[in-house]
Amino acid sequence: MFKTLKRLAAVVIAGSIFTAPASAAGIAGAPAPFDSKTVNIAVVSFLGSGDWLQAFEAGVKKQADALGINLTVSQARNDNDTQRNLVEQAINLGVDGIIINNGRPEVLQDVAQKALDAGIKVVAYDVDLDNPQIPQIEQSDKDMAKLVLEQAVKDKGEAFVGGAVYVAGFAPLDRRYGVWKEFVEKHKLTEKAVWGVVNDTVPASVADQTKAILRANPDISVIFTPWDEFAKGVKLAIDELGLSQQVKIYGVDISTADIQLITEPDSAWVATAATNAAVVGEVSVRAVSLAIAGQFPGRSVLLQPTLITRDDLVNNNIGTIEELQQKFPAFQKSDAASAEWIPAAKQ
């Protein structure tokens, strides 16, 4: 994806590390150290693939380029030990800031504190490290789940029979699934099954699980998928079983690939709620930059989500994220973690 990136020699086998060269040091009018030196930031992601991650990293790179930051981007490929090791490597490199993207809190809390003790600023996205010194970049997971589940109730009415794809232990999935459970009680829904897996082949694995679930529970009419990789797998299963008229998908997150799946003829995926992954990446870089400059962005940095239905996409002839940004201005950018001295990322 990044043609100018080069692979480092010291790479954990299960993960990958890339670096992007910084521009000339110093931003006129910026606070120290951005006024006089090149700042070094590491981004450590738990996941290793997927459209969301690609868009997130693209946003990270755009904002880092605008700030002249020397950037290191790495992926742990769903391995806890690898993610810890990648954070350790960033600490040993003496970076100025670390962005931790996803992961398990119990695996990362102590190593994140180690970074803080070394004078390195840390921000976290979609993993609650329960540390007042670490800003939490949040895309309002509860609001996203609420938006899409309200649409499900609007479409299907009260007391429908449904299921959810969910894996415990991941902060965003836990928060989104929590809203599903609230809706089950409030709207007298029937939760027939909960299934899911997080691995390197999520859509294929979830598809296999979903086919078994739907064969065993033919009365399921709604499936809540709190991650778009889950939705891809569910849609694959529904398509293979020929159930797109009977079972509908209500998801979270969106990408160009997702839009193409949602807008297919007779697609079972009828609604999703999302923030722009690229914008999340931009905000993450701005937040850690503010922390490095001594301008703490706050304990919580919140991005508001948007509800996007299949009808919205089809009726507005939207086929890509770029077209979605043009026709849904709220999806294009966020002012979160901004400052006058931080240049805007080039779109």
Side-chain angles (χ1 to χ4, degrees):
M1 179 174 63
F2 304 148
K3 293 183 179 178
T4 60
L5 304 185
K6 60 183 180 180
R7 188 178 295 272
L8 289 179
V11 177
V12 175
I13 293 175
S16 58
I17 302 178
F18 302 95
T19 59
S23 59
I27 299 174
F34 289 89
D35 60 339
S36 60
K37 70 183 267 307
T38 296
V39 170
N40 298 287
I41 290 176
V43 183
V44 180
S45 296
F46 177 74
L47 301 173
S49 62
D51 297 321
W52 191 96
L53 180 62
Q54 287 187 333
F56 171 83
E57 290 182 348
V60 163
K61 184 177 184 298
K62 286 180 181 178
Q63 188 63 72
D65 285 347
L67 281 160
I69 287 170
N70 185 53
L71 183 66
T72 301
V73 180
S74 60
Q75 304 90 22
R77 302 189 184 283
N78 308 297
D79 185 272
N80 292 323
D81 290 338
T82 297
Q83 191 173 24
R84 282 182 58 87
N85 290 337
L86 290 170
V87 175
E88 292 272 9
Q89 287 187 34
I91 295 170
N92 293 336
L93 286 171
V95 298
D96 299 289
I98 300 175
I99 297 169
I100 297 177
N101 172 26
N102 274 281
R104 295 192 179 267
E106 67 274 14
V107 173
L108 297 165
Q109 285 172 333
D110 63 332
V111 73
Q113 184 60 54
K114 181 178 178 180
L116 294 172
D117 293 342
I120 299 169
K121 301 301 182 182
V122 179
V123 303
Y125 171 73
D126 262 358
V127 53
D128 186 0
L129 299 179
D130 194 24
N131 190 318
Q133 295 178 272
I134 298 178
Q136 178 75 33
I137 314 299
E138 299 177 287
Q139 57 176 351
S140 190
D141 293 293
K142 290 185 177 181
D143 285 343
M144 285 197 294
K146 184 178 179 181
L147 281 173
V148 78
L149 290 173
E150 285 176 344
Q151 184 66 38
V153 172
K154 179 181 177 181
D155 292 345
K156 293 291 187 176
E158 303 275 334
F160 62 70
V161 178
V165 186
Y166 166 62
V167 176
F170 297 93
L173 300 184
D174 292 341
R175 290 191 288 263
R176 297 168 192 177
Y177 181 69
V179 175
W180 162 260
K181 294 298 287 185
E182 292 173 2
F183 266 69
V184 167
E185 182 176 353
K186 179 179 179 180
H187 297 281
K188 298 179 174 58
L189 312 180
T190 299
E191 180 188 76
K192 269 300 183 73
V194 179
W195 65 100
V197 64
V198 175
N199 58 21
D200 282 338
T201 58
V202 171
S205 298
V206 168
D208 289 338
Q209 293 177 325
T210 303
K211 283 185 283 187
I213 292 293
L214 291 177
R215 288 182 180 122
N217 301 278
D219 52 345
I220 287 177
S221 63
V222 167
I223 298 178
F224 174 54
T225 58
W227 182 26
D228 60 343
E229 295 299 300
F230 289 161
K232 292 175 185 176
V234 172
K235 184 179 182 303
L236 180 61
I238 290 173
D239 288 348
E240 290 184 6
L241 295 174
L243 296 175
S244 61
Q245 293 299 313
Q246 291 92 339
V247 186
K248 300 300 180 183
I249 302 166
Y250 292 81
V252 171
D253 298 331
I254 198 164
S255 67
T256 292
D258 295 341
I259 291 172
Q260 293 169 355
L261 293 175
I262 294 169
T263 56
E264 284 180 358
D266 299 319
S267 175
W269 191 351
V270 294
T272 193
T275 55
N276 188 331
V279 173
V280 174
E282 294 170 12
V283 170
S284 299
V285 172
R286 294 201 299 266
V288 77
S289 297
L290 286 170
I292 291 167
Q295 300 175 1
F296 190 69
R299 181 67 182 88
S300 175
V301 180
L302 189 65
L303 290 84
Q304 292 297 332
T306 301
L307 174 69
I308 303 156
T309 67
R310 184 176 184 277
D311 287 344
D312 290 332
L313 298 174
V314 172
N315 293 341
N316 289 282
N317 196 30
I318 295 171
T320 66
I321 284 291
E322 290 74 22
E323 292 170 353
L324 181 63
Q325 291 172 348
Q326 291 170 6
K327 297 177 181 180
F328 280 66
F331 198 73
Q332 188 171 21
K333 63 180 181 178
S334 171
D335 294 329
S338 295
E340 290 185 2
W341 62 269
I342 298 180
K346 294 183 179 179
Q347 300 303 320

